[in-house]
Amino acid sequence: MVASAFLPELWTEILIPVCAVVGIAFSLFQWFIVSRVKVSGDQGASSSSGGAKNGYGDYLIEEEEGVNDQSVVAKCAEIQTAISEGATSFLFTEYQYVGVFMVFFAAIIFVFLGSVEGFSTESKPCTYDSTKTCKPALATAAFSTIAFILGAVTSVLSGFLGMKIATYANARTTLEARKSVGKAFIVAFRSGAVMGFLLAASGLLVLYITINVFKIYYGDDWEGLFEAITGYGLGGSSMALFGRVGGGIYTKAADVGADLVGKIERNIPEDDPRNPAVIADNVGDNVGDIAGMGSDLFGSYAEASCAALVVASISSFGINHDFTAMCYPLLISSMGILVCLITTLFATDFFEIKAVKEIEPALKNQLIISTAIMTVGIAVVSWVGLPSSFTIFNFGTQKVVQNWQLFLCVCVGLWAGLIIGFVTEYYTSNAYSPVQDVADSCRTGAATNVIFGLALGYKSVIIPIFAIAISIFVSFSFAAMYGVAVAALGMLSTIATGLAIDAYGPISDNAGGIAEMAGMSHRIRERTDALDAAGNTTAAIGKGFAIGSAALVSLALFGAFVSRAGVHTVDVLTPKVIIGLLVGAMLPYWFSAMTMKSVGSAALKMVEEVRRQFNTIPGLMEGTAKPDYATCVKISTDASIKEMIPPGCLVMLTPLIVGFFFGVETLSGVLAGSLVSGVQIAISASNTGGAWDNAKKYIEAGVSEHAKSLGPKGSEPHKAAVIGDTIGDPLKDTSGPSLNILIKLMAVESLVFAPFFATHGGILFKYL
């Protein structure tokens, strides 16, 4: 008999939900503080008490310059309302379509999994231990369907609430920028923290409650219980796919249209209120970067947890019904919430930002501090939550593992995430030579800029891939596929801080847009630009985390699928597997082609509309007439809803078609191929786009002598940089980030349908 964990089961049952509730309470507290910055004409409310650090009633730049303060506040409120209404309207339209898909796919899950035993309601011998009886396949079908719907709803809510918080905070950040850059930073960061903690805590809480409710029916059948729970990860990621693709097409259609006509043809600044696409562009930041990213990282977290739980259920944890050890993945996430809570206080309360140059270090320190404290946290969880020695299922055999080895598995993932984050920053921040070289190449036009940018993206893949490869080797050597799954959870354990940093970027971007549209002074715009530039780099770091964790999650799910489908070895030399590998490696290219083309065709319509308005509305360029913002918002909405369906169908139908017609071996090849090529394309696309964006900002800011020699705005090098940025937009915000969902989603879908494929799959090879 293997020893049980040091932490009693009762304590585990109390600790996990308490940590989740603490996370939710902390996010609500942060929201309350942000809400004290008033966006209304009533300045008395804004000047309430609150200490110098949060700066209520501080001296305003407007007072110094003699600008009418009330009209500026009213204008900010008006713009904020327009952005919020546009984002809400788009998401409601998107969720109507996604809701229909959710019901349809839930029915497919129930029918396919129920048919495994011919819809029998009798108990069956367990898959991994035929001496025991497990619940019928029909029960797994029903509970997998329920878990799928719960995951989908949680994912949708995560994205929607994130968007609501961001649109609530953008104007407040602008108004605080009148006091100081530090005050504006704190509002933007607190708002990001609201989203980060709300998502991390609610994802954990819903998963924990689902496990406990399902346990009432399943009893001692933990194999069936955790097989059904995998539906939760599938639901989370399938919604994230549509959110990422739909939101990405929306935001980039508006952005490309606004930039091409506004900056290059009409020579007006970014976010100029005369530009008809400016509201659609700001709405896009929220539906793509906030709602999409929220759903994406929630999906990663749900899938990593599900992969770990499935493998653990057929290891000694599940066989001996050791609930505390079984919940090790959830205990890591619980510890992560507490660690991120302490880390957040370093940015908001312990230290104060006083100058622009302190913004980026403050955000980077969040990553370093959370990683360092989390390492200690993982050691504590591994000591109290695991037996000193236990066995882990390893493709048909049980591998003996020590608790310190599992601690190292989680740490390898955690630190690999930090390395990927900093490598991404090196290649996308304009503080370092790679982006400065790209900016310098703009001297000779857009063509050399594009060549340098592509080369940078390809080169930026090298170190992250080595980091992922080393973490896979170490974690698999120690604890087989369970080690890989907890390494992915290690990378995602500081998700609350990662999301706070990531959401900070679009909030700052919107704040800058509102400052420009409200006609605020140049000094305020400089402050919001500084916040935005730091946010651009941190957004790239967030994408690096998402892609790195997706690679580990996908491999862990792949391992669970191979085990569940009864495949003992995936032999690359067999034709069934090699054709799968080739097709799988092609899928990310096909998917990218679809999403890029969608952005291109939507941007084409946007450019035509913006040109039409400039040419036909008298007084628009002079600023005496208002553009028709609503038409541009409608173009982006219609295009993204229509165009998100084909890429979504490609990802969702591929595993079903391959598994049913060609069988589990070919499907194994497809999953391996898509993982290997998808990760490379995703990293290079995200970093290329990020580098082009920051090369443009480097020239615009004109801080160094080198940057001044390339500028100012409107110069030939600047126009070349804008073209590079425009090409990079769909790469970094549509295709790149969506690819990590492709590789995860195909793997988790294959795992959910594994019993069906193992029983009925490969019909073509059966009859050939």
Side-chain angles (χ1 to χ4, degrees), residues 351-382:
F351 299 103
E352 192 178 355
I353 303 283
K354 290 192 174 73
V356 165
K357 64 177 186 293
E358 294 172 11
I359 298 169
E360 209 164 305
L363 292 168
K364 283 198 291 188
N365 287 342
Q366 285 287 298
L367 292 174
I368 297 166
I369 294 164
S370 61
T371 304
I373 303 175
M374 191 63 203
T375 306
V376 179
I378 294 163
V380 172
V381 169
S382 303

PDB file of all heavy atoms in Angstrom, residues 351-382:
ATOM      1  N   PHE A 351       5.244  49.722  -3.975  1.00  0.00           N
ATOM      2  CA  PHE A 351       6.105  50.666  -4.696  1.00  0.00           C
ATOM      3  C   PHE A 351       5.246  51.582  -5.549  1.00  0.00           C
ATOM      4  O   PHE A 351       4.208  51.175  -6.048  1.00  0.00           O
ATOM      5  CB  PHE A 351       7.106  49.920  -5.598  1.00  0.00           C
ATOM      6  CG  PHE A 351       8.037  49.021  -4.841  1.00  0.00           C
ATOM      7  CD1 PHE A 351       7.839  47.643  -4.828  1.00  0.00           C
ATOM      8  CD2 PHE A 351       9.100  49.545  -4.116  1.00  0.00           C
ATOM      9  CE1 PHE A 351       8.682  46.806  -4.118  1.00  0.00           C
ATOM     10  CE2 PHE A 351       9.950  48.714  -3.403  1.00  0.00           C
ATOM     11  CZ  PHE A 351       9.744  47.348  -3.397  1.00  0.00           C
ATOM     12  N   GLU A 352       5.709  52.810  -5.726  1.00  0.00           N
ATOM     13  CA  GLU A 352       4.940  53.761  -6.524  1.00  0.00           C
ATOM     14  C   GLU A 352       5.717  54.130  -7.786  1.00  0.00           C
ATOM     15  O   GLU A 352       6.915  54.382  -7.729  1.00  0.00           O
ATOM     16  CB  GLU A 352       4.674  55.029  -5.696  1.00  0.00           C
ATOM     17  CG  GLU A 352       3.649  55.937  -6.351  1.00  0.00           C
ATOM     18  CD  GLU A 352       3.360  57.179  -5.508  1.00  0.00           C
ATOM     19  OE1 GLU A 352       3.892  57.278  -4.378  1.00  0.00           O
ATOM     20  OE2 GLU A 352       2.625  58.046  -5.976  1.00  0.00           O
ATOM     21  N   ILE A 353       5.012  54.113  -8.925  1.00  0.00           N
ATOM     22  CA  ILE A 353       5.624  54.525 -10.197  1.00  0.00           C
ATOM     23  C   ILE A 353       5.655  56.053 -10.232  1.00  0.00           C
ATOM     24  O   ILE A 353       4.621  56.700 -10.094  1.00  0.00           O
ATOM     25  CB  ILE A 353       4.781  54.004 -11.394  1.00  0.00           C
ATOM     26  CG1 ILE A 353       4.621  52.489 -11.354  1.00  0.00           C
ATOM     27  CG2 ILE A 353       5.361  54.481 -12.721  1.00  0.00           C
ATOM     28  CD1 ILE A 353       5.803  51.709 -11.791  1.00  0.00           C
ATOM     29  N   LYS A 354       6.855  56.593 -10.437  1.00  0.00           N
ATOM     30  CA  LYS A 354       6.967  58.066 -10.476  1.00  0.00           C
ATOM     31  C   LYS A 354       7.367  58.577 -11.853  1.00  0.00           C
ATOM     32  O   LYS A 354       7.139  59.731 -12.174  1.00  0.00           O
ATOM     33  CB  LYS A 354       7.997  58.538  -9.442  1.00  0.00           C
ATOM     34  CG  LYS A 354       7.528  58.372  -7.996  1.00  0.00           C
ATOM     35  CD  LYS A 354       8.449  59.122  -7.042  1.00  0.00           C
ATOM     36  CE  LYS A 354       7.924  59.105  -5.614  1.00  0.00           C
ATOM     37  NZ  LYS A 354       8.054  57.806  -4.954  1.00  0.00           N
ATOM     38  N   ALA A 355       8.001  57.720 -12.660  1.00  0.00           N
ATOM     39  CA  ALA A 355       8.473  58.166 -13.976  1.00  0.00           C
ATOM     40  C   ALA A 355       8.140  57.124 -15.035  1.00  0.00           C
ATOM     41  O   ALA A 355       7.921  55.945 -14.721  1.00  0.00           O
ATOM     42  CB  ALA A 355       9.977  58.396 -13.930  1.00  0.00           C
ATOM     43  N   VAL A 356       8.136  57.578 -16.274  1.00  0.00           N
ATOM     44  CA  VAL A 356       7.787  56.704 -17.414  1.00  0.00           C
ATOM     45  C   VAL A 356       8.718  55.493 -17.487  1.00  0.00           C
ATOM     46  O   VAL A 356       8.270  54.372 -17.740  1.00  0.00           O
ATOM     47  CB  VAL A 356       7.850  57.523 -18.728  1.00  0.00           C
ATOM     48  CG1 VAL A 356       7.855  56.617 -19.944  1.00  0.00           C
ATOM     49  CG2 VAL A 356       6.681  58.486 -18.799  1.00  0.00           C
ATOM     50  N   LYS A 357      10.017  55.707 -17.229  1.00  0.00           N
ATOM     51  CA  LYS A 357      10.992  54.612 -17.382  1.00  0.00           C
ATOM     52  C   LYS A 357      10.802  53.493 -16.351  1.00  0.00           C
ATOM     53  O   LYS A 357      11.387  52.419 -16.483  1.00  0.00           O
ATOM     54  CB  LYS A 357      12.419  55.149 -17.339  1.00  0.00           C
ATOM     55  CG  LYS A 357      12.838  55.772 -16.026  1.00  0.00           C
ATOM     56  CD  LYS A 357      14.294  56.211 -16.087  1.00  0.00           C
ATOM     57  CE  LYS A 357      14.804  56.715 -14.745  1.00  0.00           C
ATOM     58  NZ  LYS A 357      14.162  57.974 -14.317  1.00  0.00           N
ATOM     59  N   GLU A 358       9.983  53.744 -15.328  1.00  0.00           N
ATOM     60  CA  GLU A 358       9.762  52.715 -14.289  1.00  0.00           C
ATOM     61  C   GLU A 358       8.617  51.759 -14.648  1.00  0.00           C
ATOM     62  O   GLU A 358       8.416  50.760 -13.964  1.00  0.00           O
ATOM     63  CB  GLU A 358       9.439  53.400 -12.950  1.00  0.00           C
ATOM     64  CG  GLU A 358      10.585  54.211 -12.381  1.00  0.00           C
ATOM     65  CD  GLU A 358      10.166  55.037 -11.167  1.00  0.00           C
ATOM     66  OE1 GLU A 358       9.057  54.820 -10.653  1.00  0.00           O
ATOM     67  OE2 GLU A 358      10.939  55.918 -10.760  1.00  0.00           O
ATOM     68  N   ILE A 359       7.847  52.066 -15.703  1.00  0.00           N
ATOM     69  CA  ILE A 359       6.641  51.268 -16.007  1.00  0.00           C
ATOM     70  C   ILE A 359       7.003  49.841 -16.419  1.00  0.00           C
ATOM     71  O   ILE A 359       6.529  48.872 -15.832  1.00  0.00           O
ATOM     72  CB  ILE A 359       5.799  51.931 -17.122  1.00  0.00           C
ATOM     73  CG1 ILE A 359       5.314  53.304 -16.676  1.00  0.00           C
ATOM     74  CG2 ILE A 359       4.598  51.046 -17.479  1.00  0.00           C
ATOM     75  CD1 ILE A 359       4.701  54.125 -17.798  1.00  0.00           C
ATOM     76  N   GLU A 360       7.875  49.734 -17.449  1.00  0.00           N
ATOM     77  CA  GLU A 360       8.193  48.396 -17.971  1.00  0.00           C
ATOM     78  C   GLU A 360       8.890  47.521 -16.928  1.00  0.00           C
ATOM     79  O   GLU A 360       8.517  46.351 -16.762  1.00  0.00           O
ATOM     80  CB  GLU A 360       9.025  48.516 -19.253  1.00  0.00           C
ATOM     81  CG  GLU A 360       8.800  47.339 -20.179  1.00  0.00           C
ATOM     82  CD  GLU A 360       9.281  47.595 -21.593  1.00  0.00           C
ATOM     83  OE1 GLU A 360       8.864  48.597 -22.217  1.00  0.00           O
ATOM     84  OE2 GLU A 360      10.082  46.791 -22.067  1.00  0.00           O
ATOM     85  N   PRO A 361       9.894  48.053 -16.175  1.00  0.00           N
ATOM     86  CA  PRO A 361      10.493  47.234 -15.109  1.00  0.00           C
ATOM     87  C   PRO A 361       9.458  46.763 -14.080  1.00  0.00           C
ATOM     88  O   PRO A 361       9.531  45.635 -13.596  1.00  0.00           O
ATOM     89  CB  PRO A 361      11.516  48.166 -14.460  1.00  0.00           C
ATOM     90  CG  PRO A 361      11.858  49.149 -15.522  1.00  0.00           C
ATOM     91  CD  PRO A 361      10.621  49.327 -16.337  1.00  0.00           C
ATOM     92  N   ALA A 362       8.487  47.627 -13.751  1.00  0.00           N
ATOM     93  CA  ALA A 362       7.465  47.240 -12.762  1.00  0.00           C
ATOM     94  C   ALA A 362       6.657  46.045 -13.258  1.00  0.00           C
ATOM     95  O   ALA A 362       6.347  45.123 -12.489  1.00  0.00           O
ATOM     96  CB  ALA A 362       6.525  48.418 -12.485  1.00  0.00           C
ATOM     97  N   LEU A 363       6.335  46.031 -14.552  1.00  0.00           N
ATOM     98  CA  LEU A 363       5.566  44.920 -15.118  1.00  0.00           C
ATOM     99  C   LEU A 363       6.412  43.649 -15.193  1.00  0.00           C
ATOM    100  O   LEU A 363       5.936  42.552 -14.891  1.00  0.00           O
ATOM    101  CB  LEU A 363       5.045  45.295 -16.513  1.00  0.00           C
ATOM    102  CG  LEU A 363       3.971  46.386 -16.543  1.00  0.00           C
ATOM    103  CD1 LEU A 363       3.748  46.873 -17.959  1.00  0.00           C
ATOM    104  CD2 LEU A 363       2.656  45.887 -15.956  1.00  0.00           C
ATOM    105  N   LYS A 364       7.685  43.807 -15.578  1.00  0.00           N
ATOM    106  CA  LYS A 364       8.570  42.636 -15.648  1.00  0.00           C
ATOM    107  C   LYS A 364       8.825  42.061 -14.258  1.00  0.00           C
ATOM    108  O   LYS A 364       8.916  40.842 -14.085  1.00  0.00           O
ATOM    109  CB  LYS A 364       9.893  43.013 -16.314  1.00  0.00           C
ATOM    110  CG  LYS A 364       9.771  43.127 -17.828  1.00  0.00           C
ATOM    111  CD  LYS A 364      11.116  43.055 -18.512  1.00  0.00           C
ATOM    112  CE  LYS A 364      11.943  44.291 -18.221  1.00  0.00           C
ATOM    113  NZ  LYS A 364      13.180  44.355 -18.994  1.00  0.00           N
ATOM    114  N   ASN A 365       8.937  42.950 -13.266  1.00  0.00           N
ATOM    115  CA  ASN A 365       9.154  42.474 -11.891  1.00  0.00           C
ATOM    116  C   ASN A 365       7.992  41.615 -11.414  1.00  0.00           C
ATOM    117  O   ASN A 365       8.178  40.712 -10.597  1.00  0.00           O
ATOM    118  CB  ASN A 365       9.352  43.658 -10.936  1.00  0.00           C
ATOM    119  CG  ASN A 365      10.705  44.316 -11.126  1.00  0.00           C
ATOM    120  OD1 ASN A 365      11.607  43.710 -11.708  1.00  0.00           O
ATOM    121  ND2 ASN A 365      10.859  45.544 -10.663  1.00  0.00           N
ATOM    122  N   GLN A 366       6.786  41.906 -11.918  1.00  0.00           N
ATOM    123  CA  GLN A 366       5.628  41.078 -11.563  1.00  0.00           C
ATOM    124  C   GLN A 366       5.879  39.614 -11.938  1.00  0.00           C
ATOM    125  O   GLN A 366       5.579  38.705 -11.163  1.00  0.00           O
ATOM    126  CB  GLN A 366       4.378  41.587 -12.304  1.00  0.00           C
ATOM    127  CG  GLN A 366       3.798  42.864 -11.754  1.00  0.00           C
ATOM    128  CD  GLN A 366       3.090  42.641 -10.432  1.00  0.00           C
ATOM    129  OE1 GLN A 366       2.109  41.913 -10.341  1.00  0.00           O
ATOM    130  NE2 GLN A 366       3.598  43.249  -9.383  1.00  0.00           N
ATOM    131  N   LEU A 367       6.434  39.410 -13.125  1.00  0.00           N
ATOM    132  CA  LEU A 367       6.715  38.042 -13.584  1.00  0.00           C
ATOM    133  C   LEU A 367       7.797  37.385 -12.733  1.00  0.00           C
ATOM    134  O   LEU A 367       7.665  36.228 -12.331  1.00  0.00           O
ATOM    135  CB  LEU A 367       7.166  38.055 -15.051  1.00  0.00           C
ATOM    136  CG  LEU A 367       6.129  38.438 -16.102  1.00  0.00           C
ATOM    137  CD1 LEU A 367       6.772  38.550 -17.470  1.00  0.00           C
ATOM    138  CD2 LEU A 367       4.995  37.421 -16.132  1.00  0.00           C
ATOM    139  N   ILE A 368       8.860  38.155 -12.443  1.00  0.00           N
ATOM    140  CA  ILE A 368       9.983  37.586 -11.681  1.00  0.00           C
ATOM    141  C   ILE A 368       9.557  37.270 -10.247  1.00  0.00           C
ATOM    142  O   ILE A 368       9.823  36.182  -9.728  1.00  0.00           O
ATOM    143  CB  ILE A 368      11.186  38.561 -11.684  1.00  0.00           C
ATOM    144  CG1 ILE A 368      11.693  38.774 -13.115  1.00  0.00           C
ATOM    145  CG2 ILE A 368      12.307  38.041 -10.792  1.00  0.00           C
ATOM    146  CD1 ILE A 368      12.633  39.947 -13.274  1.00  0.00           C
ATOM    147  N   ILE A 369       8.863  38.223  -9.609  1.00  0.00           N
ATOM    148  CA  ILE A 369       8.442  38.028  -8.204  1.00  0.00           C
ATOM    149  C   ILE A 369       7.478  36.848  -8.099  1.00  0.00           C
ATOM    150  O   ILE A 369       7.636  35.981  -7.224  1.00  0.00           O
ATOM    151  CB  ILE A 369       7.779  39.320  -7.643  1.00  0.00           C
ATOM    152  CG1 ILE A 369       8.804  40.460  -7.547  1.00  0.00           C
ATOM    153  CG2 ILE A 369       7.160  39.073  -6.268  1.00  0.00           C
ATOM    154  CD1 ILE A 369       8.180  41.847  -7.392  1.00  0.00           C
ATOM    155  N   SER A 370       6.492  36.794  -9.006  1.00  0.00           N
ATOM    156  CA  SER A 370       5.497  35.708  -8.926  1.00  0.00           C
ATOM    157  C   SER A 370       6.172  34.350  -9.144  1.00  0.00           C
ATOM    158  O   SER A 370       5.838  33.370  -8.470  1.00  0.00           O
ATOM    159  CB  SER A 370       4.368  35.913  -9.943  1.00  0.00           C
ATOM    160  OG  SER A 370       4.865  35.919 -11.252  1.00  0.00           O
ATOM    161  N   THR A 371       7.143  34.293 -10.061  1.00  0.00           N
ATOM    162  CA  THR A 371       7.842  33.023 -10.327  1.00  0.00           C
ATOM    163  C   THR A 371       8.673  32.596  -9.119  1.00  0.00           C
ATOM    164  O   THR A 371       8.667  31.423  -8.732  1.00  0.00           O
ATOM    165  CB  THR A 371       8.741  33.157 -11.581  1.00  0.00           C
ATOM    166  OG1 THR A 371       7.933  33.573 -12.677  1.00  0.00           O
ATOM    167  CG2 THR A 371       9.417  31.850 -11.923  1.00  0.00           C
ATOM    168  N   ALA A 372       9.368  33.552  -8.512  1.00  0.00           N
ATOM    169  CA  ALA A 372      10.225  33.235  -7.353  1.00  0.00           C
ATOM    170  C   ALA A 372       9.386  32.757  -6.170  1.00  0.00           C
ATOM    171  O   ALA A 372       9.686  31.720  -5.552  1.00  0.00           O
ATOM    172  CB  ALA A 372      11.042  34.467  -6.965  1.00  0.00           C
ATOM    173  N   ILE A 373       8.308  33.496  -5.847  1.00  0.00           N
ATOM    174  CA  ILE A 373       7.467  33.098  -4.691  1.00  0.00           C
ATOM    175  C   ILE A 373       6.754  31.776  -4.991  1.00  0.00           C
ATOM    176  O   ILE A 373       6.602  30.922  -4.119  1.00  0.00           O
ATOM    177  CB  ILE A 373       6.430  34.199  -4.336  1.00  0.00           C
ATOM    178  CG1 ILE A 373       7.123  35.536  -4.045  1.00  0.00           C
ATOM    179  CG2 ILE A 373       5.594  33.787  -3.123  1.00  0.00           C
ATOM    180  CD1 ILE A 373       6.166  36.698  -3.815  1.00  0.00           C
ATOM    181  N   MET A 374       6.340  31.607  -6.265  1.00  0.00           N
ATOM    182  CA  MET A 374       5.609  30.387  -6.631  1.00  0.00           C
ATOM    183  C   MET A 374       6.486  29.143  -6.483  1.00  0.00           C
ATOM    184  O   MET A 374       5.991  28.070  -6.156  1.00  0.00           O
ATOM    185  CB  MET A 374       5.091  30.511  -8.074  1.00  0.00           C
ATOM    186  CG  MET A 374       4.095  29.436  -8.462  1.00  0.00           C
ATOM    187  SD  MET A 374       2.581  29.522  -7.469  1.00  0.00           S
ATOM    188  CE  MET A 374       1.981  27.853  -7.643  1.00  0.00           C
ATOM    189  N   THR A 375       7.796  29.301  -6.710  1.00  0.00           N
ATOM    190  CA  THR A 375       8.714  28.154  -6.545  1.00  0.00           C
ATOM    191  C   THR A 375       8.642  27.631  -5.113  1.00  0.00           C
ATOM    192  O   THR A 375       8.579  26.415  -4.879  1.00  0.00           O
ATOM    193  CB  THR A 375      10.163  28.576  -6.889  1.00  0.00           C
ATOM    194  OG1 THR A 375      10.166  29.152  -8.196  1.00  0.00           O
ATOM    195  CG2 THR A 375      11.107  27.394  -6.858  1.00  0.00           C
ATOM    196  N   VAL A 376       8.624  28.549  -4.158  1.00  0.00           N
ATOM    197  CA  VAL A 376       8.491  28.170  -2.738  1.00  0.00           C
ATOM    198  C   VAL A 376       7.102  27.562  -2.506  1.00  0.00           C
ATOM    199  O   VAL A 376       6.965  26.542  -1.809  1.00  0.00           O
ATOM    200  CB  VAL A 376       8.699  29.396  -1.820  1.00  0.00           C
ATOM    201  CG1 VAL A 376       8.535  29.013  -0.363  1.00  0.00           C
ATOM    202  CG2 VAL A 376      10.065  30.020  -2.065  1.00  0.00           C
ATOM    203  N   GLY A 377       6.085  28.183  -3.099  1.00  0.00           N
ATOM    204  CA  GLY A 377       4.711  27.690  -2.944  1.00  0.00           C
ATOM    205  C   GLY A 377       4.552  26.262  -3.448  1.00  0.00           C
ATOM    206  O   GLY A 377       3.891  25.431  -2.807  1.00  0.00           O
ATOM    207  N   ILE A 378       5.192  25.961  -4.599  1.00  0.00           N
ATOM    208  CA  ILE A 378       5.100  24.597  -5.166  1.00  0.00           C
ATOM    209  C   ILE A 378       5.772  23.595  -4.232  1.00  0.00           C
ATOM    210  O   ILE A 378       5.280  22.478  -4.040  1.00  0.00           O
ATOM    211  CB  ILE A 378       5.755  24.548  -6.572  1.00  0.00           C
ATOM    212  CG1 ILE A 378       4.969  25.406  -7.560  1.00  0.00           C
ATOM    213  CG2 ILE A 378       5.828  23.118  -7.090  1.00  0.00           C
ATOM    214  CD1 ILE A 378       5.735  25.738  -8.826  1.00  0.00           C
ATOM    215  N   ALA A 379       6.904  24.012  -3.620  1.00  0.00           N
ATOM    216  CA  ALA A 379       7.610  23.124  -2.681  1.00  0.00           C
ATOM    217  C   ALA A 379       6.691  22.761  -1.510  1.00  0.00           C
ATOM    218  O   ALA A 379       6.603  21.593  -1.102  1.00  0.00           O
ATOM    219  CB  ALA A 379       8.873  23.805  -2.177  1.00  0.00           C
ATOM    220  N   VAL A 380       5.972  23.757  -0.990  1.00  0.00           N
ATOM    221  CA  VAL A 380       5.045  23.525   0.140  1.00  0.00           C
ATOM    222  C   VAL A 380       3.920  22.579  -0.282  1.00  0.00           C
ATOM    223  O   VAL A 380       3.617  21.600   0.406  1.00  0.00           O
ATOM    224  CB  VAL A 380       4.468  24.874   0.651  1.00  0.00           C
ATOM    225  CG1 VAL A 380       3.382  24.633   1.682  1.00  0.00           C
ATOM    226  CG2 VAL A 380       5.575  25.749   1.224  1.00  0.00           C
ATOM    227  N   VAL A 381       3.313  22.862  -1.451  1.00  0.00           N
ATOM    228  CA  VAL A 381       2.196  22.031  -1.937  1.00  0.00           C
ATOM    229  C   VAL A 381       2.666  20.593  -2.183  1.00  0.00           C
ATOM    230  O   VAL A 381       1.971  19.630  -1.842  1.00  0.00           O
ATOM    231  CB  VAL A 381       1.586  22.637  -3.230  1.00  0.00           C
ATOM    232  CG1 VAL A 381       0.614  21.664  -3.885  1.00  0.00           C
ATOM    233  CG2 VAL A 381       0.879  23.949  -2.928  1.00  0.00           C
ATOM    234  N   SER A 382       3.866  20.434  -2.765  1.00  0.00           N
ATOM    235  CA  SER A 382       4.387  19.090  -3.056  1.00  0.00           C
ATOM    236  C   SER A 382       4.685  18.316  -1.771  1.00  0.00           C
ATOM    237  O   SER A 382       4.530  17.097  -1.724  1.00  0.00           O
ATOM    238  CB  SER A 382       5.667  19.191  -3.905  1.00  0.00           C
ATOM    239  OG  SER A 382       5.403  19.893  -5.085  1.00  0.00           O
TER     240      SER A 382
END
